[in-house]
Amino acid sequence: MIPTSMKAMVLVGHGDVDQLKYQDMPVPTPGKGQVLVQVTATAKNNTDRKAREGLYPTRKGEVASFRMGGKPTLTFPRIQGADIVGRVVAVGEGVSEQRIGERGLLDFNLYANDRADINLTPDYYGHGADGGYAEYVAVPSDQFYHVPNPGLADAELAAMGMCSYQTAYHMLTTANVQAGERVLVTGASGGVGTALIQLCRIIGAVPYALSQKDKVAPLLNLGAEAVFDRADMDSFVEQVRAETGGRPLDAVMDLVGGTMTDRFIDAMIFDMNVRSTYPRLSIAGASGGNLSEILWTRIYLYQVQIFGVSHGTREEAGQLIRWIRSGELKPVLHGAFRLSDLRRAETYFVNRGSGYLGKIVIVPDAQWQEHGQPYAVEAGQ
């Protein structure tokens, strides 16, 4: 029996974690072409915090969530949470009842059209429509991918959600990264960073990570060729020379921005005579600051190609699901929190320090014993 009400963590306005309210909400009814999913795990993403705090300005002094379609789509109350895993418990018109019982992972995008190769106005579940910080959610059937792998727990599957992995893959495809190329991954210990390291290895590129000293061993185990110390950016180019045999980086996948961006460009252009492709910078984050001072003469004289990346395409989502089903992509799960404890999870995420690698997932309280407890982040950690 499907209940008429459910527990959900509801965002009621822009602001701090006090804007998150744990309350009863109606269980949604699946519409035409949709499935109703009983949620078992939803990955935590930095975009949840940034949208809540209004940190997606496109003009100076603006406090807002992004509005790529021309108007705000984050309205209140809103249930956040994009990377949803669960089981189909009901179907809408036009969807086969054979889907009931399937475990799946959501392609989190709210696509504006049916094109498989482009996504110009990215929006997503948890922002422009209700997401997975609840016990149930209604989503498009064709975007809820069946992933039966019995050796992959629901929390682990959520840790491979599209918000991180599709963004990472789109960064690589947009910059046309090829096998054998040397690629810097900044913010390497987070969800997008760990996805980038794995994806580079799958396509044959060589990933170099930028992170903290305490993350060196796990990042090397994940597949990084070497790990550069972000606390010593004064010697960054020398670090690159030493690890690459004196050759510049071919491309940078940048999640940091700020003052570091110019150093990343330095590491791509220090010897143009040995390059066979243009230097490429894909940027999909600004955790180190939203403003960078760069001489434009350095960009056009060295022919540096810069790509802004947000989300990805249906084609890329399909490819990622194939890699997940085949086991080529591995989860990097840091730990789990109860849905009712989401405020603590948000604070933990912002203040994460040594030992943090990969993703946090949020598990509904009713599902906690089976899907959350084995990965619990205990109070006080």
Side-chain angles (χ1 to χ4, degrees), residues 191-225:
V192 180
T194 54
L196 276 164
I197 291 171
Q198 291 192 65
L199 289 165
C200 280
R201 289 301 185 186
I202 286 176
I203 66 175
V206 183
Y208 294 85
L210 180 69
S211 193
Q212 299 165 303
K213 284 186 176 180
D214 64 302
K215 309 290 176 60
V216 171
L219 289 172
L220 291 175
N221 288 336
L222 189 62
E225 187 76 5

PDB file of all heavy atoms in Angstrom, residues 191-225:
ATOM      1  N   GLY A 191      32.977  14.863  -5.214  1.00  0.00           N
ATOM      2  CA  GLY A 191      32.222  13.969  -6.076  1.00  0.00           C
ATOM      3  C   GLY A 191      32.582  14.087  -7.542  1.00  0.00           C
ATOM      4  O   GLY A 191      32.787  13.076  -8.233  1.00  0.00           O
ATOM      5  N   VAL A 192      32.663  15.313  -8.070  1.00  0.00           N
ATOM      6  CA  VAL A 192      33.031  15.492  -9.478  1.00  0.00           C
ATOM      7  C   VAL A 192      34.487  15.125  -9.696  1.00  0.00           C
ATOM      8  O   VAL A 192      34.841  14.500 -10.698  1.00  0.00           O
ATOM      9  CB  VAL A 192      32.754  16.939  -9.936  1.00  0.00           C
ATOM     10  CG1 VAL A 192      33.127  17.126 -11.408  1.00  0.00           C
ATOM     11  CG2 VAL A 192      31.285  17.307  -9.747  1.00  0.00           C
ATOM     12  N   GLY A 193      35.349  15.490  -8.751  1.00  0.00           N
ATOM     13  CA  GLY A 193      36.774  15.179  -8.885  1.00  0.00           C
ATOM     14  C   GLY A 193      37.054  13.696  -8.932  1.00  0.00           C
ATOM     15  O   GLY A 193      37.802  13.217  -9.798  1.00  0.00           O
ATOM     16  N   THR A 194      36.450  12.930  -8.021  1.00  0.00           N
ATOM     17  CA  THR A 194      36.676  11.477  -8.034  1.00  0.00           C
ATOM     18  C   THR A 194      36.073  10.840  -9.278  1.00  0.00           C
ATOM     19  O   THR A 194      36.615   9.860  -9.804  1.00  0.00           O
ATOM     20  CB  THR A 194      36.108  10.826  -6.763  1.00  0.00           C
ATOM     21  OG1 THR A 194      34.729  11.184  -6.605  1.00  0.00           O
ATOM     22  CG2 THR A 194      36.887  11.263  -5.525  1.00  0.00           C
ATOM     23  N   ALA A 195      34.962  11.399  -9.763  1.00  0.00           N
ATOM     24  CA  ALA A 195      34.386  10.899 -11.016  1.00  0.00           C
ATOM     25  C   ALA A 195      35.328  11.166 -12.186  1.00  0.00           C
ATOM     26  O   ALA A 195      35.523  10.303 -13.055  1.00  0.00           O
ATOM     27  CB  ALA A 195      33.029  11.562 -11.254  1.00  0.00           C
ATOM     28  N   LEU A 196      35.916  12.351 -12.221  1.00  0.00           N
ATOM     29  CA  LEU A 196      36.831  12.706 -13.315  1.00  0.00           C
ATOM     30  C   LEU A 196      38.034  11.771 -13.370  1.00  0.00           C
ATOM     31  O   LEU A 196      38.457  11.360 -14.458  1.00  0.00           O
ATOM     32  CB  LEU A 196      37.305  14.154 -13.144  1.00  0.00           C
ATOM     33  CG  LEU A 196      36.386  15.236 -13.685  1.00  0.00           C
ATOM     34  CD1 LEU A 196      36.758  16.596 -13.106  1.00  0.00           C
ATOM     35  CD2 LEU A 196      36.434  15.276 -15.218  1.00  0.00           C
ATOM     36  N   ILE A 197      38.589  11.442 -12.216  1.00  0.00           N
ATOM     37  CA  ILE A 197      39.754  10.543 -12.197  1.00  0.00           C
ATOM     38  C   ILE A 197      39.387   9.201 -12.810  1.00  0.00           C
ATOM     39  O   ILE A 197      40.110   8.665 -13.662  1.00  0.00           O
ATOM     40  CB  ILE A 197      40.277  10.387 -10.762  1.00  0.00           C
ATOM     41  CG1 ILE A 197      40.904  11.698 -10.280  1.00  0.00           C
ATOM     42  CG2 ILE A 197      41.310   9.254 -10.685  1.00  0.00           C
ATOM     43  CD1 ILE A 197      41.244  11.714  -8.803  1.00  0.00           C
ATOM     44  N   GLN A 198      38.250   8.647 -12.415  1.00  0.00           N
ATOM     45  CA  GLN A 198      37.832   7.362 -12.967  1.00  0.00           C
ATOM     46  C   GLN A 198      37.542   7.448 -14.452  1.00  0.00           C
ATOM     47  O   GLN A 198      37.938   6.565 -15.235  1.00  0.00           O
ATOM     48  CB  GLN A 198      36.582   6.870 -12.245  1.00  0.00           C
ATOM     49  CG  GLN A 198      36.804   6.473 -10.803  1.00  0.00           C
ATOM     50  CD  GLN A 198      35.610   5.734 -10.246  1.00  0.00           C
ATOM     51  OE1 GLN A 198      35.268   4.638 -10.690  1.00  0.00           O
ATOM     52  NE2 GLN A 198      34.949   6.346  -9.281  1.00  0.00           N
ATOM     53  N   LEU A 199      36.857   8.505 -14.858  1.00  0.00           N
ATOM     54  CA  LEU A 199      36.467   8.642 -16.264  1.00  0.00           C
ATOM     55  C   LEU A 199      37.686   8.848 -17.158  1.00  0.00           C
ATOM     56  O   LEU A 199      37.724   8.343 -18.292  1.00  0.00           O
ATOM     57  CB  LEU A 199      35.477   9.790 -16.427  1.00  0.00           C
ATOM     58  CG  LEU A 199      34.082   9.515 -15.859  1.00  0.00           C
ATOM     59  CD1 LEU A 199      33.280  10.804 -15.729  1.00  0.00           C
ATOM     60  CD2 LEU A 199      33.337   8.512 -16.746  1.00  0.00           C
ATOM     61  N   CYS A 200      38.677   9.591 -16.680  1.00  0.00           N
ATOM     62  CA  CYS A 200      39.914   9.731 -17.451  1.00  0.00           C
ATOM     63  C   CYS A 200      40.522   8.358 -17.733  1.00  0.00           C
ATOM     64  O   CYS A 200      40.920   8.058 -18.873  1.00  0.00           O
ATOM     65  CB  CYS A 200      40.918  10.598 -16.693  1.00  0.00           C
ATOM     66  SG  CYS A 200      40.655  12.375 -16.822  1.00  0.00           S
ATOM     67  N   ARG A 201      40.584   7.510 -16.727  1.00  0.00           N
ATOM     68  CA  ARG A 201      41.173   6.188 -16.919  1.00  0.00           C
ATOM     69  C   ARG A 201      40.345   5.344 -17.885  1.00  0.00           C
ATOM     70  O   ARG A 201      40.893   4.584 -18.697  1.00  0.00           O
ATOM     71  CB  ARG A 201      41.309   5.480 -15.568  1.00  0.00           C
ATOM     72  CG  ARG A 201      42.382   6.073 -14.664  1.00  0.00           C
ATOM     73  CD  ARG A 201      43.749   6.041 -15.316  1.00  0.00           C
ATOM     74  NE  ARG A 201      44.806   6.495 -14.417  1.00  0.00           N
ATOM     75  CZ  ARG A 201      46.068   6.664 -14.774  1.00  0.00           C
ATOM     76  NH1 ARG A 201      46.441   6.436 -16.036  1.00  0.00           N
ATOM     77  NH2 ARG A 201      46.978   7.082 -13.907  1.00  0.00           N
ATOM     78  N   ILE A 202      39.030   5.473 -17.827  1.00  0.00           N
ATOM     79  CA  ILE A 202      38.180   4.696 -18.729  1.00  0.00           C
ATOM     80  C   ILE A 202      38.420   5.078 -20.188  1.00  0.00           C
ATOM     81  O   ILE A 202      38.485   4.215 -21.068  1.00  0.00           O
ATOM     82  CB  ILE A 202      36.697   4.877 -18.356  1.00  0.00           C
ATOM     83  CG1 ILE A 202      36.366   4.087 -17.078  1.00  0.00           C
ATOM     84  CG2 ILE A 202      35.772   4.410 -19.492  1.00  0.00           C
ATOM     85  CD1 ILE A 202      34.957   4.280 -16.581  1.00  0.00           C
ATOM     86  N   ILE A 203      38.594   6.391 -20.461  1.00  0.00           N
ATOM     87  CA  ILE A 203      38.784   6.819 -21.852  1.00  0.00           C
ATOM     88  C   ILE A 203      40.262   6.820 -22.247  1.00  0.00           C
ATOM     89  O   ILE A 203      40.586   7.115 -23.398  1.00  0.00           O
ATOM     90  CB  ILE A 203      38.170   8.205 -22.108  1.00  0.00           C
ATOM     91  CG1 ILE A 203      38.912   9.304 -21.323  1.00  0.00           C
ATOM     92  CG2 ILE A 203      36.675   8.199 -21.775  1.00  0.00           C
ATOM     93  CD1 ILE A 203      38.428  10.716 -21.634  1.00  0.00           C
ATOM     94  N   GLY A 204      41.154   6.500 -21.304  1.00  0.00           N
ATOM     95  CA  GLY A 204      42.573   6.375 -21.628  1.00  0.00           C
ATOM     96  C   GLY A 204      43.403   7.611 -21.384  1.00  0.00           C
ATOM     97  O   GLY A 204      44.600   7.629 -21.700  1.00  0.00           O
ATOM     98  N   ALA A 205      42.801   8.677 -20.827  1.00  0.00           N
ATOM     99  CA  ALA A 205      43.566   9.870 -20.478  1.00  0.00           C
ATOM    100  C   ALA A 205      44.302   9.643 -19.157  1.00  0.00           C
ATOM    101  O   ALA A 205      43.996   8.718 -18.400  1.00  0.00           O
ATOM    102  CB  ALA A 205      42.644  11.085 -20.376  1.00  0.00           C
ATOM    103  N   VAL A 206      45.274  10.505 -18.865  1.00  0.00           N
ATOM    104  CA  VAL A 206      46.106  10.355 -17.665  1.00  0.00           C
ATOM    105  C   VAL A 206      45.749  11.476 -16.686  1.00  0.00           C
ATOM    106  O   VAL A 206      46.083  12.636 -16.918  1.00  0.00           O
ATOM    107  CB  VAL A 206      47.604  10.421 -18.010  1.00  0.00           C
ATOM    108  CG1 VAL A 206      48.449  10.188 -16.756  1.00  0.00           C
ATOM    109  CG2 VAL A 206      47.942   9.408 -19.098  1.00  0.00           C
ATOM    110  N   PRO A 207      45.072  11.146 -15.565  1.00  0.00           N
ATOM    111  CA  PRO A 207      44.634  12.194 -14.638  1.00  0.00           C
ATOM    112  C   PRO A 207      45.683  12.527 -13.578  1.00  0.00           C
ATOM    113  O   PRO A 207      46.285  11.635 -12.972  1.00  0.00           O
ATOM    114  CB  PRO A 207      43.401  11.562 -13.979  1.00  0.00           C
ATOM    115  CG  PRO A 207      43.690  10.093 -13.983  1.00  0.00           C
ATOM    116  CD  PRO A 207      44.528   9.824 -15.210  1.00  0.00           C
ATOM    117  N   TYR A 208      45.877  13.821 -13.369  1.00  0.00           N
ATOM    118  CA  TYR A 208      46.698  14.325 -12.276  1.00  0.00           C
ATOM    119  C   TYR A 208      45.770  15.086 -11.337  1.00  0.00           C
ATOM    120  O   TYR A 208      44.952  15.890 -11.776  1.00  0.00           O
ATOM    121  CB  TYR A 208      47.793  15.257 -12.794  1.00  0.00           C
ATOM    122  CG  TYR A 208      48.817  14.555 -13.649  1.00  0.00           C
ATOM    123  CD1 TYR A 208      48.596  14.358 -15.011  1.00  0.00           C
ATOM    124  CD2 TYR A 208      50.023  14.105 -13.108  1.00  0.00           C
ATOM    125  CE1 TYR A 208      49.534  13.711 -15.803  1.00  0.00           C
ATOM    126  CE2 TYR A 208      50.964  13.458 -13.891  1.00  0.00           C
ATOM    127  CZ  TYR A 208      50.718  13.265 -15.243  1.00  0.00           C
ATOM    128  OH  TYR A 208      51.650  12.623 -16.022  1.00  0.00           O
ATOM    129  N   ALA A 209      45.907  14.852 -10.037  1.00  0.00           N
ATOM    130  CA  ALA A 209      44.983  15.432  -9.063  1.00  0.00           C
ATOM    131  C   ALA A 209      45.622  16.605  -8.329  1.00  0.00           C
ATOM    132  O   ALA A 209      46.824  16.617  -8.075  1.00  0.00           O
ATOM    133  CB  ALA A 209      44.549  14.369  -8.062  1.00  0.00           C
ATOM    134  N   LEU A 210      44.789  17.583  -7.975  1.00  0.00           N
ATOM    135  CA  LEU A 210      45.192  18.669  -7.102  1.00  0.00           C
ATOM    136  C   LEU A 210      44.358  18.556  -5.840  1.00  0.00           C
ATOM    137  O   LEU A 210      43.130  18.624  -5.882  1.00  0.00           O
ATOM    138  CB  LEU A 210      44.952  20.026  -7.762  1.00  0.00           C
ATOM    139  CG  LEU A 210      45.342  21.249  -6.922  1.00  0.00           C
ATOM    140  CD1 LEU A 210      46.856  21.343  -6.772  1.00  0.00           C
ATOM    141  CD2 LEU A 210      44.791  22.533  -7.529  1.00  0.00           C
ATOM    142  N   SER A 211      45.035  18.374  -4.695  1.00  0.00           N
ATOM    143  CA  SER A 211      44.305  18.172  -3.453  1.00  0.00           C
ATOM    144  C   SER A 211      45.227  18.419  -2.268  1.00  0.00           C
ATOM    145  O   SER A 211      46.290  19.026  -2.408  1.00  0.00           O
ATOM    146  CB  SER A 211      43.718  16.751  -3.402  1.00  0.00           C
ATOM    147  OG  SER A 211      42.763  16.632  -2.367  1.00  0.00           O
ATOM    148  N   GLN A 212      44.806  17.940  -1.088  1.00  0.00           N
ATOM    149  CA  GLN A 212      45.588  18.079   0.129  1.00  0.00           C
ATOM    150  C   GLN A 212      46.491  16.868   0.325  1.00  0.00           C
ATOM    151  O   GLN A 212      46.231  15.786  -0.208  1.00  0.00           O
ATOM    152  CB  GLN A 212      44.639  18.217   1.330  1.00  0.00           C
ATOM    153  CG  GLN A 212      43.733  19.429   1.247  1.00  0.00           C
ATOM    154  CD  GLN A 212      42.590  19.330   2.243  1.00  0.00           C
ATOM    155  OE1 GLN A 212      41.826  18.368   2.234  1.00  0.00           O
ATOM    156  NE2 GLN A 212      42.474  20.326   3.103  1.00  0.00           N
ATOM    157  N   LYS A 213      47.529  17.051   1.148  1.00  0.00           N
ATOM    158  CA  LYS A 213      48.504  15.979   1.351  1.00  0.00           C
ATOM    159  C   LYS A 213      47.864  14.719   1.921  1.00  0.00           C
ATOM    160  O   LYS A 213      48.269  13.600   1.594  1.00  0.00           O
ATOM    161  CB  LYS A 213      49.632  16.459   2.272  1.00  0.00           C
ATOM    162  CG  LYS A 213      50.635  17.379   1.581  1.00  0.00           C
ATOM    163  CD  LYS A 213      51.806  17.691   2.504  1.00  0.00           C
ATOM    164  CE  LYS A 213      52.861  18.518   1.778  1.00  0.00           C
ATOM    165  NZ  LYS A 213      54.013  18.835   2.675  1.00  0.00           N
ATOM    166  N   ASP A 214      46.853  14.875   2.789  1.00  0.00           N
ATOM    167  CA  ASP A 214      46.259  13.698   3.417  1.00  0.00           C
ATOM    168  C   ASP A 214      45.382  12.902   2.459  1.00  0.00           C
ATOM    169  O   ASP A 214      44.925  11.816   2.800  1.00  0.00           O
ATOM    170  CB  ASP A 214      45.450  14.108   4.656  1.00  0.00           C
ATOM    171  CG  ASP A 214      44.262  14.977   4.306  1.00  0.00           C
ATOM    172  OD1 ASP A 214      44.474  16.037   3.695  1.00  0.00           O
ATOM    173  OD2 ASP A 214      43.135  14.595   4.647  1.00  0.00           O
ATOM    174  N   LYS A 215      45.152  13.432   1.250  1.00  0.00           N
ATOM    175  CA  LYS A 215      44.332  12.721   0.261  1.00  0.00           C
ATOM    176  C   LYS A 215      45.174  11.988  -0.778  1.00  0.00           C
ATOM    177  O   LYS A 215      44.624  11.371  -1.700  1.00  0.00           O
ATOM    178  CB  LYS A 215      43.407  13.714  -0.462  1.00  0.00           C
ATOM    179  CG  LYS A 215      42.590  14.624   0.450  1.00  0.00           C
ATOM    180  CD  LYS A 215      41.520  13.861   1.171  1.00  0.00           C
ATOM    181  CE  LYS A 215      40.778  14.748   2.157  1.00  0.00           C
ATOM    182  NZ  LYS A 215      40.113  15.907   1.561  1.00  0.00           N
ATOM    183  N   VAL A 216      46.508  12.063  -0.653  1.00  0.00           N
ATOM    184  CA  VAL A 216      47.376  11.511  -1.691  1.00  0.00           C
ATOM    185  C   VAL A 216      47.134  10.019  -1.895  1.00  0.00           C
ATOM    186  O   VAL A 216      46.883   9.561  -3.023  1.00  0.00           O
ATOM    187  CB  VAL A 216      48.867  11.779  -1.363  1.00  0.00           C
ATOM    188  CG1 VAL A 216      49.764  11.003  -2.331  1.00  0.00           C
ATOM    189  CG2 VAL A 216      49.171  13.265  -1.444  1.00  0.00           C
ATOM    190  N   ALA A 217      47.186   9.232  -0.836  1.00  0.00           N
ATOM    191  CA  ALA A 217      47.073   7.775  -0.977  1.00  0.00           C
ATOM    192  C   ALA A 217      45.744   7.350  -1.575  1.00  0.00           C
ATOM    193  O   ALA A 217      45.714   6.562  -2.540  1.00  0.00           O
ATOM    194  CB  ALA A 217      47.309   7.098   0.370  1.00  0.00           C
ATOM    195  N   PRO A 218      44.585   7.819  -1.065  1.00  0.00           N
ATOM    196  CA  PRO A 218      43.324   7.381  -1.669  1.00  0.00           C
ATOM    197  C   PRO A 218      43.150   7.836  -3.106  1.00  0.00           C
ATOM    198  O   PRO A 218      42.550   7.117  -3.923  1.00  0.00           O
ATOM    199  CB  PRO A 218      42.252   7.982  -0.757  1.00  0.00           C
ATOM    200  CG  PRO A 218      42.923   9.039   0.038  1.00  0.00           C
ATOM    201  CD  PRO A 218      44.344   8.616   0.158  1.00  0.00           C
ATOM    202  N   LEU A 219      43.674   9.010  -3.459  1.00  0.00           N
ATOM    203  CA  LEU A 219      43.539   9.478  -4.839  1.00  0.00           C
ATOM    204  C   LEU A 219      44.429   8.674  -5.786  1.00  0.00           C
ATOM    205  O   LEU A 219      44.046   8.386  -6.924  1.00  0.00           O
ATOM    206  CB  LEU A 219      43.853  10.973  -4.934  1.00  0.00           C
ATOM    207  CG  LEU A 219      42.802  11.896  -4.298  1.00  0.00           C
ATOM    208  CD1 LEU A 219      43.291  13.335  -4.267  1.00  0.00           C
ATOM    209  CD2 LEU A 219      41.471  11.804  -5.054  1.00  0.00           C
ATOM    210  N   LEU A 220      45.599   8.295  -5.325  1.00  0.00           N
ATOM    211  CA  LEU A 220      46.452   7.409  -6.133  1.00  0.00           C
ATOM    212  C   LEU A 220      45.781   6.049  -6.307  1.00  0.00           C
ATOM    213  O   LEU A 220      45.807   5.469  -7.401  1.00  0.00           O
ATOM    214  CB  LEU A 220      47.824   7.255  -5.481  1.00  0.00           C
ATOM    215  CG  LEU A 220      48.730   8.487  -5.472  1.00  0.00           C
ATOM    216  CD1 LEU A 220      50.002   8.196  -4.685  1.00  0.00           C
ATOM    217  CD2 LEU A 220      49.080   8.936  -6.893  1.00  0.00           C
ATOM    218  N   ASN A 221      45.180   5.538  -5.250  1.00  0.00           N
ATOM    219  CA  ASN A 221      44.487   4.252  -5.337  1.00  0.00           C
ATOM    220  C   ASN A 221      43.300   4.330  -6.302  1.00  0.00           C
ATOM    221  O   ASN A 221      42.957   3.335  -6.955  1.00  0.00           O
ATOM    222  CB  ASN A 221      43.996   3.822  -3.956  1.00  0.00           C
ATOM    223  CG  ASN A 221      45.130   3.393  -3.045  1.00  0.00           C
ATOM    224  OD1 ASN A 221      46.196   2.999  -3.519  1.00  0.00           O
ATOM    225  ND2 ASN A 221      44.918   3.481  -1.745  1.00  0.00           N
ATOM    226  N   LEU A 222      42.680   5.510  -6.390  1.00  0.00           N
ATOM    227  CA  LEU A 222      41.539   5.685  -7.274  1.00  0.00           C
ATOM    228  C   LEU A 222      41.949   5.738  -8.740  1.00  0.00           C
ATOM    229  O   LEU A 222      41.150   5.441  -9.625  1.00  0.00           O
ATOM    230  CB  LEU A 222      40.784   6.962  -6.884  1.00  0.00           C
ATOM    231  CG  LEU A 222      39.437   7.215  -7.540  1.00  0.00           C
ATOM    232  CD1 LEU A 222      38.436   6.112  -7.186  1.00  0.00           C
ATOM    233  CD2 LEU A 222      38.889   8.582  -7.114  1.00  0.00           C
ATOM    234  N   GLY A 223      43.211   6.127  -8.991  1.00  0.00           N
ATOM    235  CA  GLY A 223      43.679   6.169 -10.373  1.00  0.00           C
ATOM    236  C   GLY A 223      44.470   7.388 -10.759  1.00  0.00           C
ATOM    237  O   GLY A 223      44.923   7.499 -11.910  1.00  0.00           O
ATOM    238  N   ALA A 224      44.670   8.334  -9.837  1.00  0.00           N
ATOM    239  CA  ALA A 224      45.471   9.506 -10.167  1.00  0.00           C
ATOM    240  C   ALA A 224      46.911   9.116 -10.444  1.00  0.00           C
ATOM    241  O   ALA A 224      47.488   8.274  -9.739  1.00  0.00           O
ATOM    242  CB  ALA A 224      45.412  10.522  -9.027  1.00  0.00           C
ATOM    243  N   GLU A 225      47.506   9.718 -11.462  1.00  0.00           N
ATOM    244  CA  GLU A 225      48.900   9.465 -11.796  1.00  0.00           C
ATOM    245  C   GLU A 225      49.829  10.059 -10.735  1.00  0.00           C
ATOM    246  O   GLU A 225      50.865   9.470 -10.393  1.00  0.00           O
ATOM    247  CB  GLU A 225      49.219  10.070 -13.167  1.00  0.00           C
ATOM    248  CG  GLU A 225      50.581   9.731 -13.714  1.00  0.00           C
ATOM    249  CD  GLU A 225      50.655   8.314 -14.268  1.00  0.00           C
ATOM    250  OE1 GLU A 225      49.620   7.603 -14.313  1.00  0.00           O
ATOM    251  OE2 GLU A 225      51.767   7.905 -14.664  1.00  0.00           O
TER     252      GLU A 225
END
